[in-house]
Amino acid sequence: MRSTTLLALLALVLLYLVSGALVFRALEQPHEQQAQRELGEVREKFLRAHPCVSDQELGLLIKEVADALGGGADPETNSTSNSSHSAWDLGSAFFFSGTIITTIGYGNVALHTDAGRLFCIFYALVGIPLFGILLAGVGDRLGSSLRRGIGHIEAIFLKWHVPPELVRVLSAMLFLLVGCLLFVLTPTFVFCYMEDWSKLEAIYFVIVTLTTVGFGDYVAGADPRQDSPAYQPLVWFWILLGLAYFASVLTTIGNWLRVVSRRTRAEMGGLTAQAASWTGTVTARVTQRAGPAAPPPEKERPLLPPPPCPAQPLGRPRSPSPPEKAQPPSPPTASALDYPSENLAFIDESSDTQSERGCPLPRAPRGRRRPNPPRKPVRPRGPGRPRDKDVPV
């Protein structure tokens, strides 16, 4: 990614964050102030009704209650009740471990011992990559299964002679609708029935969970009335499938954006080439209308007399070689060390010049070739005849 694109994306994200902060502040700050005023009124009313309780004692009691609620205590359960609900039974502990490796982290239940916090560090470091591998595999299988089912519907559309572009759009919309029906709408109605939530609260919990935001204000199975030990483990398996579906959707959106970006770059490159061609055409037309400019006169170089031909060596006169066509001189190089065979090229050029002028090139005199000595004939050997010592083998 280019630096300019990265800076533009960073500026866009920061602008998105600032706009979100302003909207949330405008929506939630009045509610917070109203809740604070109501708490102050209730506190004053309690102190007037119980004059024996001081303000400091009431403040200490409120602080202890808040700490107990943060530790997972239930205000509706006391020592006289026979409720066996615990935030750390097997089902709840399994659900808490699942929120660690899925990085949701609702925060309604937290660790308060040093040993638990130390174990959570190593547990998260090992479990999060392991869950990521599992999520990738489940998302691949789930996406391929949904696409295989939608492929049959695409074949039916193509048999009805529907345009392929429209079939692609319909298949993408069908992929989204089926996933939303299975992992968003159906769990919403289930949570409305099981948790006694409104439809807005249920769909708010579903979206916050599947996007791994996990505020913790709404958690499935946190109500003490839910005494089924298998309820929260089933919720975790729904989270696994929903996260896999959302991962496949985000991958599809990323691939689509990548294709759109490539097409945009290709179109921008074509527009740039057309603009450059148009600019060159306009410049050429303007130059033709203005007329070509007269080139500056070149200075004439003085003609030098040709160098004399070297004297021919004594010996047998040679017939003059036929004239060869002159080769055009090589273009001048930028420096003396442009290529290593420049000296050889200069020698070849000077030799061609002398051949054109009819000057014979000096050659080394040839000596007489010495005849080879005659070889002795080899006499054939008989089967019983000894070999002569002087005859070579």
Side-chain angles (χ1 to χ4, degrees), residues 333 335-347:
T333 54
S335 62
L337 299 175
D338 282 348
Y339 53 93
S341 60
E342 186 179 4
N343 296 329
L344 298 177
F346 174 74
I347 293 173

Side-chain angles (χ1 to χ4, degrees), residues 36 39 55 64 66 87 95 118 130 157 160 164 173 212 222 224 227 241 291 295 352 357 363-364 375 388:
Q36 193 69 31
L39 178 62
D55 192 7
E64 290 179 0
F95 186 73
L118 183 62
L130 185 63
F157 283 141
W160 292 348
M173 293 179 62
T212 68
D227 54 354
L241 297 177
D352 295 340
R357 293 171 182 167
R363 272 191 170 182
R375 298 179 62 183
D388 295 339

Side-chain angles (χ1 to χ4, degrees), residues 219-234:
V219 179
D223 194 349
R225 292 175 294 180
Q226 295 293 339
D227 54 354
S228 176
Y231 177 66
Q232 285 189 323
L234 290 177

